[in-house]
Structure formats: C-alpha cells, structure tokens
Amino acid sequence: MAIVKVSSEDMKVVSSAILSLCEYFRELSAKNNRKITFYIHTYGCQLNESDSEKLHAMCLAMGLEYSKDEHADVVLFNTCAIRENAEDRLFGNLGAYKSEKISNRNMIIAVCGCMMKIEDNVSRIKNSFPYVDLVFDPQQLHKFPLLLLSSINRKKQLIEVGDVDYITDDSLVPPNRLRKFRALVPIMYGCNNFCTYCVVPNARGRERSREFQPIINEITTLAREGYKEVMLLGQNVNSYGKDAGFKETFPDLLRAISNIEGLSRVRFMTSHPKDLNREVIDIMATCKNIETHLHLPVQSGSDAILTRMNRHYNREQYLEIVRYFRSIVPNGSISTDIIVGFPGETEEDFQDTLSLVDEVKYDSAFTFQYSPRPGTEAAKYEDQIPHDVVTERFGRLLKLQNELTYESNQRLIGSLQEVLIEGESSTATNILTGRTRSNHLVNFTIPDSLKGEGEGEFDASSYEGKLCNVKITNARPYSVEGLMENLIDG
Ligand code: SAH
Ligand code: SF4
Ligand code: F3S
C-alpha cells in the first residue's frame, strides 16, 4: 500500500476541474431554466459525516445547489461497510433511483465511502447498477471534482478504486460544516490495528496523522467563528502522531487545544484501550473544556475473545483504566462498543461480558451483533455462532445496559447541568435538545420568561449552538428532562 502526499499543485488540477464543472452546470441550468441540485446520502460514523461535509463544500463550489430532499440532479452515496445491513440499505436505495435516472437524462449518481473498498460491492454495482456513473474509494475523496468531470466527459461508468493512501492537507478541501453546535475535526485517518472482525483498516488504509499546527489553526478559527464544541476524530486518537514520528503526542494536542480561547467543549473519538494512557485522563480531570465523557470500546469482557479479536488488552487492564477515570473524574461518564456473538464466544465468555458491563456501569453503550465482513480474519473462523444464539445473548445484554443507562440518567435528577443546545427535539415541538458535558442527552423546555418579549413564534434554531444551564427534573430510559434556568452565552 503506497502512501502519497497530495501537493498544492495536485489540488490546482482539482480546482480547475471545479471551474470546468461550474461552466458545465451553469449551461445545464440555463438550458433547463432551473437550478441544478445535489444531495448526499451519508451512512456510518462521524468520519463519514466529516467526509460528506467536504463533498458538500465541493458541490457548492461547482455551482450546485443543495437539495433539501433526496431528489436531485447529482446524488452521492457516502457508504459505510462496518456491518452487513449497511449494504442492504445502499443497494435498496440505489434501486429506488432507477426510474428517476431514466427520466432525468442529466442526473449523475456517484457512490463512494468504505463499501467501495470491498470488491464484491464494486462488482455488484458494475453488474447490476449500470446507471451509477461514478464509484470511488474514501482515499480519493479530494479528487472528487476531477473524477466527476471525467465521468461526465466519458459518458460511461467510471470506477476509481485503488490501493493508494493519500495524505491531504485538510485546508485544501475545507468542509462546509453542517452543524452549528459541533465542528468535526479529523486529526488522523486510517487504522493500523486490524481487529480481526473489522473492515476499517482495509477501507480506510494505514494511519495518517494530520500535522499538529494545521489542526490547531483550524480549531482556533472555529473558536473565533463561534463554535462551542469540536469533536476530534480518528479510529484510534491515542496513537496520534506515531505513524509520522511527530514529537507531539495526543496529550500534547489535547493540552494545546484546551488553551484555545472561546472553545467550551472538546470531545474525541475513539480511544483504544491499548493506547489510552493516564495522561489523557489527567487532562480530562484538569482541563475545563475537555469533556468529561470517555468513549472506550471494550468489545468483549472475555480475555479469550479479546485475544481472538486482536485487541491487545485484557479485561483487568481495561478495568484499571475505568477505575482510574472514575476516581479522578467523579462526574464523568463512560460509554462503550460491544460485539455479541464473535466467533467462538461461549456462554461463559458472554457471562464475562455481562459481568464487566455490570462492574463498569456504563452510562451508555452501542451494542452490536457480530457481522462477518469480507476480507477480515474473523470471517474465516470456523466457529461462527448461530444467529438465534447471538440474538438471544444480545437481548440479555441490551436489557442489562438499558437498566444501567436509566440508572445513569436517574443520577442526574435534581442537578444543574450545562447543556450545549443541538436544536429542537425531533419528537416534540417547543422542546429543545442538547447534551451535558458528560454526554447525557437532555430534552428541556424554556420558561416563557426566558423566551424574549414580543418575538411571536418560538424559533428553536436560534438557540442551536448556545450553552445554557438546565435543571434536571426527570429521567427517561435514554434521556433526561429539565427546565432551562439561564442561557450562559447570551
Ligand atoms: N475505531 C473504533 C471503532 C470503529 S467501528 C474502535 O476501535 O473502537 C465502531 C464499532 O463497530 C466497533 O467498536 C465495533 O464494536 C463495531 N464493529 C466493527 N466491526 C464489526 C463487525 N464486524 N460486527 C459487529 N460490530 C462491529
Ligand atoms: Fe476497527 Fe479495531 Fe481499527 Fe477500531 S481499532 S477501526 S475496531 S480495526
Ligand atoms: Fe463505516 Fe467506514 Fe466509518 S466502515 S463506521 S464509515 S470508517
């Protein structure tokens, strides 16, 4: 696998493709007497969301207009390959565009993202979805305008899937941030860990850390623009800088970011237990703007399974980190990822997972049924667990974790919490939603006295990205409820 640094000269070629596309879409717009639009379907993790923010920016630069619904002239699918059901969703959705593509001759469909690094998926598009115009893998994202231009010119399906990992200076493809309350900032790409169940190292290539100063510059600008929260992204943020031999480590980066003025909250995802050291937890305990929430995927509570997963830590080492965190970050919260039914998992192994969950008392958890992924080691293991056994175990784990999540929510009743407002609740009007520093989800109301006088209709969007204090009055299974006491930043 080659690693290639993208130069500003390379990006000039991309910029000139953007100019040509601007011209092309302008003519198309004049001919049809309407705006030419784009829409992006995004699946998967925050890294994909961050990639979609870059694709969004590139589309705007080409003169396309964002479509609020999924019927558009340029439709992009930014895919995820982490589990099987992601594939079913993509192919179902692609099928639904067939008739639209026939009736709109100028329509362009492009598919990118992690699924495009799995050969079978690319072949399926070649064979069954000839109306897809362009396919490219996540490492080629910065070339999107160039690829789009070639696919338009050649009028034939273009597939650009390679084995090159590019290092791009993110400032050459600045994202169009889609949220006001949280800015996603990748600090590294790829993964070197090869957990035996996981498709990411294949899909995203080797670890490539971004340089220290450009990250600091980007976040300083974000803080000046008024962002209250940044989320640092990487598959294993604790190994930041190691691939490139930087002198700065992840704790150095966290400390530098915590000194940036105006920034209230810094989150990071994901920490790998094998690389998370006490220094990071010390920083969480002492630096005020580092959030007190640790996402620490455990995957299994059984040492035998952890070894077969190639995780490089054992149960006791994991618990030691948890105990340290709980001892010095008393109001902090811990969440995790757990896989149920990994090949060879016995009832005893599963009991180890249950007892670990009970011991840690996770505030929340993402629980997954093991899904064999093409090209991974574990998919070749012979002792795959029957589906009914997996679902039965999964049900038991979910029940336990739901109780723990509810308990964690109940502990907040009566407290005053600082909440970063994300917007209006999706399930109720006049209710705002946001998160505490410990990542608890809060739905809350604003007393009329705080709504401002004579402003007519309540406008939830004007609160997005603001900080406020909320008195917690009630706990629900997955969230807490409360009443706003005051806005913190006006
Ligand atoms: N880099 C992160 C997580 C990336 S994927 C980490 O190392 O923790 C997010 C989660 O998806 C993983 O933590 C794992 O729990 C789950 N996952 C990954 N591959 C899976 C598979 N084949 N089947 C089921 N769950 C999987
Ligand atoms: Fe996948 Fe493991 Fe890398 Fe996480 S650390 S992305 S689970 S290989
Ligand atoms: Fe999915 Fe790729 Fe993220 S496989 S979880 S979109 S890194």
Side-chain angles (χ1 to χ4, degrees):
M1 176 92 65
I3 296 190
V4 172
K5 200 162 178 161
V6 176
S7 65
S8 47
E9 287 306 308
D10 296 330
M11 289 311 284
K12 277 193 190 140
V13 181
V14 175
S15 300
S16 92
I18 291 181
L19 291 180
S20 307
L21 286 161
C22 262
E23 195 52 42
Y24 172 78
F25 289 124
R26 199 175 17 240
E27 279 172 21
L28 202 60
S29 167
K31 215 157 62 188
N32 291 280
N33 202 18
R34 63 175 179 85
K35 298 235 158 67
I36 305 299
T37 57
F38 74 99
Y39 186 82
I40 308 177
H41 293 268
T42 306
Y43 308 100
C45 62
Q46 275 102 352
L47 210 68
N48 253 18
E49 280 177 35
S50 163
D51 281 352
S52 284
E53 291 185 341
K54 291 176 189 164
L55 291 167
H56 194 111
M58 291 187 229
C59 287
L60 292 177
M62 294 167 198
L64 295 170
E65 177 145 317
Y66 181 63
S67 160
K68 287 199 172 56
D69 64 36
E70 46 197 65
H71 307 289
D73 300 290
V74 176
V75 175
L76 280 136
F77 286 87
N78 191 7
T79 63
C80 166
I82 203 81
R83 283 170 293 276
E84 241 165 352
N85 51 12
E87 272 140 38
D88 302 340
R89 253 177 92 195
L90 170 73
F91 289 114
N93 278 346
L94 266 184
Y97 274 101
K98 190 173 179 180
S99 55
E100 223 166 300
K101 174 85 187 187
I102 292 168
S103 61
N104 177 359
R105 275 192 27 238
N106 296 310
M107 186 177 182
I108 297 164
I109 300 181
V111 186
C112 59
C114 294
M115 265 179 69
M116 296 305 104
K117 283 292 278 210
I118 297 179
E119 251 173 61
D120 282 358
N121 294 329
V122 177
S123 312
R124 193 161 162 194
I125 292 185
K126 265 192 209 159
N127 299 330
S128 309
F129 300 90
Y131 54 87
V132 167
D133 301 277
L134 170 64
V135 168
F136 58 100
D137 70 59
Q139 274 71 274
Q140 326 243 9
L141 187 108
H142 61 284
K143 287 197 223 161
F144 167 59
L146 211 54
L147 301 174
L148 184 63
L149 186 61
S150 327
S151 95
I152 291 171
N153 287 337
R154 68 186 242 150
K155 298 189 173 66
K156 205 170 111 202
Q157 192 172 67
L158 175 65
I159 304 217
E160 277 282 323
V161 181
D163 52 7
V164 176
D165 287 349
Y166 291 100
I167 301 184
T168 32
D169 170 358
D170 274 23
S171 64
L172 297 174
V173 263
N176 181 69
R177 301 193 190 270
L178 298 172
R179 294 189 180 109
K180 269 196 253 168
F181 59 92
R182 175 184 301 151
L184 303 174
V185 179
I187 61 166
M188 59 197 297
Y189 297 99
C191 181
N192 288 353
N193 292 307
F194 292 96
C195 302
T196 52
Y197 51 80
C198 185
V199 81
V200 173
N202 176 26
R204 292 276 175 174
R206 295 295 67 72
E207 276 179 13
R208 287 149 285 146
S209 296
R210 283 180 65 194
E211 294 202 16
F212 187 82
Q213 200 52 46
I215 299 177
I216 301 297
N217 295 347
E218 180 177 342
I219 297 177
T220 307
T221 308
L222 288 167
R224 275 200 208 117
E225 286 170 358
Y227 280 93
K228 293 281 177 284
E229 177 172 306
V230 294
M231 185 178 228
L232 311 178
L233 300 178
Q235 295 298 348
N236 176 8
V237 290
N238 308 102
S239 67
Y240 171 78
K242 289 183 190 161
D243 59 286
F246 293 162
K247 65 177 192 317
E248 296 95 348
T249 60
F250 182 59
D252 294 333
L253 188 64
L254 269 187
R255 264 190 297 265
I257 294 170
S258 75
N259 286 329
I260 294 175
E261 212 171 305
L263 203 61
S264 310
R265 292 189 178 191
V266 182
R267 277 178 197 279
F268 51 91
M269 267 185 115
T270 301
S271 288
H272 195 306
K274 82 178 165 64
D275 292 312
L276 176 72
N277 56 29
R278 289 191 168 202
E279 205 181 343
V280 169
I281 300 177
D282 292 340
I283 294 171
M284 294 176 92
T286 50
C287 294
K288 262 186 60 201
N289 63 1
I290 309 289
E291 280 180 328
T292 52
H293 163 231
L294 180 63
H295 183 61
L296 196 62
V298 67
Q299 314 299 357
S300 168
S302 150
D303 284 345
I305 296 295
L306 287 172
T307 304
R308 281 167 65 96
M309 287 177 162
N310 195 31
R311 291 289 288 179
H312 294 281
Y313 54 85
N314 61 31
R315 177 189 174 100
E316 187 44 37
Q317 286 162 333
Y318 183 92
L319 287 171
E320 211 175 294
I321 305 174
V322 169
R323 284 192 288 265
Y324 187 64
F325 179 83
R326 296 276 196 219
S327 71
I328 68 165
V329 191
N331 292 321
S333 70
I334 305 182
S335 60
T336 198
D337 294 347
I338 300 172
I339 298 176
V340 176
F342 184 79
E345 184 189 75
T346 62
E347 175 60 27
E348 258 187 346
D349 293 320
F350 178 64
Q351 288 295 337
D352 286 345
T353 297
L354 289 180
S355 69
L356 178 128
V357 167
D358 199 38
E359 183 165 347
V360 176
K361 305 223 179 304
Y362 288 110
D363 297 274
S364 65
F366 297 98
T367 49
F368 306 106
Q369 302 192 10
Y370 169 73
S371 165
R373 301 283 58 215
T376 60
E377 272 307 298
K380 296 181 217 146
Y381 293 172
E382 279 174 6
D383 39 8
Q384 305 285 324
I385 307 294
H387 185 65
D388 56 334
V389 176
V390 180
T391 48
E392 192 275 333
R393 284 181 192 163
F394 186 76
R396 275 188 279 160
L397 175 64
L398 206 60
K399 183 168 176 289
L400 171 62
Q401 183 52 50
N402 283 346
E403 284 162 17
L404 295 173
T405 304
Y406 192 27
E407 279 169 24
S408 166
N409 290 338
Q410 282 169 323
R411 282 194 290 275
L412 295 192
I413 295 177
S415 66
L416 190 66
Q417 296 287 329
E418 182 204 274
V419 172
L420 179 61
I421 304 172
E422 298 186 359
E424 192 163 22
S425 155
S426 55
T427 50
T429 47
N430 276 346
I431 304 260
L432 290 178
T433 185
R435 285 188 185 264
T436 65
R437 301 190 72 80
S438 56
N439 203 38
H440 285 84
L441 184 65
V442 187
N443 291 314
F444 60 98
T445 43
I446 308 184
D448 286 341
S449 58
L450 289 178
K451 278 184 186 160
E453 281 159 33
E455 283 170 14
E457 284 268 298
F458 171 66
D459 177 15
S461 67
S462 66
Y463 289 94
E464 189 183 332
K466 293 189 173 173
L467 286 167
C468 65
N469 283 316
V470 174
K471 181 86 173 187
I472 307 301
T473 52
N474 191 25
R476 315 253 315 160
Y478 302 109
S479 61
V480 292
E481 295 171 341
L483 188 68
M484 187 202 279
E485 292 236 321
N486 61 294
L487 274 173
I488 294 174
D489 45 4

